[in-house]
Amino acid sequence: MEPEKRARAHIARLDLDKRQSAVLDGQAHTARALWNLLHEYFTFRQGRFASLKQCDEAIRAARHEIEWMKELPAQAAQAVLKTYRQAWANFFNPDHPAKRPTFKGRFRSRMAVDIPQARDLQIKRVNRRWGAVSLPKVGRVRFRWTKDLPGLTKDAPAGRITGARLVKDAFGWQIVFRTQTTAAVLAPAHPGPVVGIDRGITVALALSDGTTREHGPWLTGGERERLRRLEKKAARRRAPGQPASHRLIRTYAQIARLRATAKRRAVDWQHQTTTELAEVFSMVVVEDLHITNMVRSAKGTIEQPGRNVAQKAGLNRAITGEGWGRTVTLLGYKTADRGGQVIKVPAPGTSITCHRCGHRDATSRNGIRFACSNPVCAWTGHADTNAAINIRNAAGTVVSGRGDLGAARSVKRQPPRAA
């Protein structure tokens, strides 16, 4: 059986001193400036897009003429060009949701530096908790060793590290190792049962077997109160049309740390929950939700203003906080690794249809309670459980699948056919 190569990522926290952190900050700002220069050169060159060769020559010339461009390693500069070209390829791909590449702002873009070649990393394990890695123009840096990396330890899976990316968040710099492992083309069939999952807000995940997977608030009461006070403080210090003061920037950093804390807890819960589901069930059926459309603003226009704007904004925040798309993404590769699959089915009608008799009536659902309006049936129960059963029963009307080599592609994302 021929081996299959699987790409995975592993994130580890870097232990940097002030000098090393400042060097990485400078490299990240240079990478962002290079992106903006590339975008200007690529899109405004006499009305025609520049070729890859022309962009590469422009980068080499800029590194000789502009002194601060040398802060960014040459390989990282080439990675910026590769990422930029890939962004355009994704935009022109009718099956990809990517938007048109634009300029990157200083405070709204994520600071990142790419290390495309793994040979420059020289990874070594120092002790049980720490490892060491070499970063270009930074030096030897320690990182938290929380997982065995392929090709480095005996217990690690077979494979290798192909590169890394340095990313900065509210807690500092972290390294994302790009790994490539080998596995059988087809994993043994999963012996577990089939389950339908309804994603919600009141109940995070409702399963067709009658169980639920729920969580508490991502922030404690004290943390939520502190976040509220910091947001009010930032609103008072914000001056329209004026650059942000140092005090306002510090307040923004405190807000970002609290929000990053909430996200880390959410992602941790999602990882634990999806791992448990992937190990128990052989097939997971979910709705094919277009989340981007669901969280659109309801403000409308001046001529036609929206209604219930504040309520819709709160609903959008709740949906975004649950990370529905991330849950399905995690389930996708985890079930595939265990021989299972994730199936997407059409979403309309699953929450207002009785799973027992098939009667569809919007008045049957009242909050979390579902009472079938068909007098012959009159089934009552939890509304989310009823929706999950409908989702499981709709597995025959497949929209898309992952983990199954013969699963159909999404009919809503296919490019239009030529007339």
Side-chain angles (χ1 to χ4, degrees):
M1 183 179 295
E2 296 182 0
E4 178 194 18
K5 296 180 180 179
R6 293 177 177 174
R8 295 288 185 267
H10 174 63
I11 303 176
R13 184 67 54 185
L14 291 174
D15 184 24
L16 302 171
D17 56 30
K18 291 184 178 180
R19 183 197 66 83
Q20 294 171 331
S21 181
V23 171
L24 283 182
D25 287 350
Q27 291 185 9
H29 285 304
T30 304
R32 177 188 56 81
L34 179 59
W35 173 287
N36 291 338
L37 291 174
L38 274 173
H39 186 63
E40 182 178 6
Y41 180 76
F42 185 78
T43 55
F44 296 100
R45 183 181 172 275
Q46 298 179 353
R48 295 186 303 173
F49 287 160
S51 65
L52 178 62
K53 180 180 179 180
Q54 292 169 337
C55 291
D56 181 64
E57 291 175 351
I59 290 178
R60 295 177 185 273
R63 289 179 60 83
H64 284 88
E65 298 173 2
I66 305 175
E67 187 65 26
W68 53 266
M69 274 287 183
K70 298 179 182 179
E71 294 183 15
L72 187 66
Q75 295 293 335
Q78 292 297 319
V80 173
L81 174 58
K82 181 180 178 180
T83 305
Y84 180 76
R85 299 284 297 192
Q86 186 60 45
W88 277 106
N90 295 338
F91 171 69
F92 287 119
N93 184 0
D95 291 337
H96 202 285
K99 297 181 180 179
R100 183 185 179 92
T102 59
F103 290 101
K104 289 188 176 183
R106 181 179 179 87
F107 297 106
R108 293 186 177 273
S109 59
R110 195 174 191 183
M111 299 178 67
V113 179
D114 204 275
I115 306 176
Q117 295 184 354
R119 66 185 182 186
D120 299 332
L121 297 175
Q122 302 178 11
I123 304 171
K124 183 179 179 181
R125 187 167 188 175
V126 178
N127 53 42
R128 185 171 65 89
R129 294 181 178 273
W130 294 95
V133 60
S134 296
L135 304 181
K137 298 192 176 184
V138 177
R140 202 69 174 163
V141 178
R142 297 200 310 170
F143 67 92
R144 290 286 294 176
W145 191 283
T146 57
K147 184 179 181 180
D148 290 330
L149 298 172
L152 295 178
T153 56
K154 295 181 180 179
D155 299 332
R160 63 190 181 94
I161 296 176
T162 60
R165 186 172 179 84
L166 307 174
V167 181
K168 188 176 184 180
D169 60 8
F171 294 98
W173 283 94
Q174 57 190 3
I175 185 169
V176 183
F177 293 105
R178 290 190 290 266
T179 65
Q180 188 180 83
T181 58
T182 57
V185 175
L186 293 176
H190 198 297
V194 180
V195 67
I197 297 181
D198 179 63
R199 291 163 286 173
I201 297 174
T202 305
V203 177
L205 299 177
L207 277 59
S208 57
D209 60 2
T211 62
T212 60
R213 303 295 185 273
E214 302 182 57
H215 58 78
W218 303 129
L219 295 176
T220 64
E223 289 171 335
R224 292 196 299 272
E225 176 62 21
R226 183 166 179 263
L227 178 60
R228 185 187 67 85
R229 292 184 178 182
L230 288 173
E231 289 175 340
K232 292 181 65 176
K233 182 187 295 185
R236 290 195 302 267
R237 290 176 174 175
R238 190 183 303 116
Q242 299 294 327
S245 64
H246 291 291
R247 291 191 303 172
L248 180 57
I249 293 175
R250 286 196 298 269
T251 304
Y252 282 152
Q254 293 173 323
I255 293 174
R257 286 183 66 89
L258 283 173
R259 290 178 176 171
T261 298
K263 182 177 180 179
R264 292 176 67 180
R265 292 171 182 171
V267 173
D268 179 68
W269 179 86
Q270 286 179 312
H271 270 291
Q272 295 188 41
T273 304
T274 53
T275 300
E276 179 238 331
L277 294 175
E279 292 177 349
V280 173
F281 300 102
S282 62
M283 180 186 295
V284 180
V285 189
V286 296
E287 293 176 299
D288 184 38
L289 299 177
H290 297 271
I291 303 175
T292 303
N293 297 337
M294 297 175 64
V295 297
R296 284 182 177 174
S297 174
K299 291 183 178 180
T301 61
I302 298 178
E303 295 78 11
Q304 295 181 346
R307 297 189 302 175
N308 299 326
V309 177
Q311 293 88 331
K312 183 63 169 64
L315 177 63
N316 292 347
R317 286 193 297 269
I319 294 175
T320 304
E322 290 296 330
W324 290 348
R326 184 168 57 237
T327 299
V328 176
T329 300
L330 297 178
L331 277 172
Y333 76 82
K334 291 182 180 182
T335 53
D337 289 347
R338 293 163 175 80
Q341 60 179 327
V342 171
I343 296 295
K344 292 183 180 180
V345 300
T350 55
S351 61
I352 60 175
T353 303
C354 177
H355 75 274
R356 178 172 293 182
C357 68
H359 180 69
R360 179 178 294 189
D361 186 3
T363 61
S364 298
R365 177 164 186 168
N366 183 14
I368 63 173
R369 183 175 181 275
F370 187 92
C372 182
S373 59
N374 184 2
V376 179
C377 176
W379 180 87
T380 60
H382 200 289
D384 293 334
T385 301
N386 174 76
I389 297 174
N390 285 327
I391 294 171
R392 183 198 62 189
N393 295 339
T397 57
V398 178
V399 171
S400 66
R402 181 170 183 174
D404 182 7
L405 296 178
R409 293 173 61 88
S410 173
V411 297
K412 298 182 179 180
R413 300 189 52 95
Q414 292 179 354
R417 297 181 179 179

